[in-house]
Amino acid sequence: MRISILLTPIVAAGLGTACASTPTPYQPASGKAGYGFSETALENNRLRLTFSGNSQTDLETVKKYVLFRAAETTLQRGYDFFIIVDRGVDTATEYRASGPMRPRFGGQLEQSGAEYEVIADVTMFRGLKPSLVLNAYDAHQIKAYLEPVIVRPTVS
């Protein structure tokens, strides 16, 4: 887990204006911040998927986008179901100072935002999903179930 502490209100105020005001949409990661999804091929039927969200994107949304990307990629590559192994969540949290930084004068640190990144390894297969494998997902069903709640970037 990465934690950065901002010790002056001036620095915190300056960074506050640079923060995103809307959650990260479902999109390929690009730009300096790299918010969105990315993937790395590990084998013919195996990928490492990542979704990074800005400080306005909650952890549940980041997890949902990784799952949706796994389903979407599975279908695009001609497979039917996938097994996902969650490799974890990386969290970056920023704190800002409120008042003087000495407790006896009433100063304290307040969390100003958290960014989440979920990384998962996905192995894709053809055929029917095995019912006894708990981390196996039917790509057609996952895509159909999550499609209505996926927020894509607005076109300007």
Side-chain angles (χ1 to χ4, degrees), residues 65-81:
Y65 285 179
V66 165
L67 189 61
F68 183 77
R69 184 63 188 158
E72 190 175 61
T73 303
T74 297
L75 295 173
Q76 288 171 351
R77 292 175 178 234
Y79 294 96
D80 301 304
F81 75 94

Side-chain angles (χ1 to χ4, degrees), residues 43-61:
E43 295 178 28
N44 288 337
N45 69 327
R46 191 173 202 174
L47 303 167
R48 176 161 295 142
L49 299 176
T50 303
F51 191 91
S52 299
N54 63 23
S55 61
Q56 300 299 310
T57 311
D58 62 61
L59 180 57
E60 288 308 310
T61 298

Side-chain angles (χ1 to χ4, degrees), residues 35-132:
Y35 298 125
F37 63 80
S38 60
E39 56 191 58
T40 304
L42 302 175
E43 295 178 28
N44 288 337
N45 69 327
R46 191 173 202 174
L47 303 167
R48 176 161 295 142
L49 299 176
T50 303
F51 191 91
S52 299
N54 63 23
S55 61
Q56 300 299 310
T57 311
D58 62 61
L59 180 57
E60 288 308 310
T61 298
V62 173
K63 288 180 177 181
K64 174 176 49 182
Y65 285 179
V66 165
L67 189 61
F68 183 77
R69 184 63 188 158
E72 190 175 61
T73 303
T74 297
L75 295 173
Q76 288 171 351
R77 292 175 178 234
Y79 294 96
D80 301 304
F81 75 94
F82 60 93
I83 294 175
I84 192 165
V85 179
D86 190 1
R87 294 186 48 93
V89 176
D90 188 17
T91 305
T93 305
E94 289 186 356
Y95 293 88
R96 63 180 169 82
S98 132
M101 281 306 298
R102 292 179 279 189
R104 70 177 185 214
F105 295 113
Q108 59 184 2
L109 291 176
E110 296 175 355
Q111 184 173 333
S112 62
E115 295 180 354
Y116 300 103
E117 179 179 75
V118 173
I119 303 166
D121 286 352
V122 175
T123 305
M124 302 167 286
F125 301 92
R126 291 183 178 87
L128 296 175
K129 174 189 83 125
S131 59
L132 297 177

